[in-house]
Amino acid sequence: MLTNLYIELADRYSDMQVKYSFTFDDRLISQFNIDKEFELKEKEHLPFEEYSVFYDKLFFEYKNEKLGNVTYNFRDD
């Protein structure tokens, strides 16, 4: 019985990780489009391939910047 409970708990945890990941990605993309609206509009005249490369590069830099922010540091408390 305890084994079944543990397996179910592990499955639910895995599902929550996936849901959190999708939610986080959606928020990150939405915020990126808001924060980088000016830069994106400046380049929207480019052909699709060039715009995609520009968008991907700008998003990669933005994502790394946001993921690098430490919102709370438990070790210093």
Side-chain angles (χ1 to χ4, degrees), residues 1-12:
M1 179 167 166
L2 191 56
T3 304
N4 292 340
L5 183 63
Y6 178 74
I7 292 171
E8 185 177 336
L9 182 61
D11 288 342
R12 286 185 182 187

Side-chain angles (χ1 to χ4, degrees), residues 42-60:
E42 278 186 331
K43 302 288 185 177
E44 68 185 0
H45 67 281
L46 294 174
F48 178 76
E49 293 82 16
E50 290 179 38
Y51 184 79
S52 285
V53 169
F54 169 76
Y55 186 95
D56 290 345
K57 182 179 180 218
L58 193 62
F59 181 72
F60 181 76

Side-chain angles (χ1 to χ4, degrees), residues 16-31:
M16 288 301 294
Q17 282 182 312
V18 170
K19 288 177 185 176
Y20 176 80
S21 178
F22 285 135
T23 302
F24 180 79
D25 290 345
D26 283 345
R27 283 190 64 202
L28 188 64
I29 291 169
S30 295
Q31 193 61 44

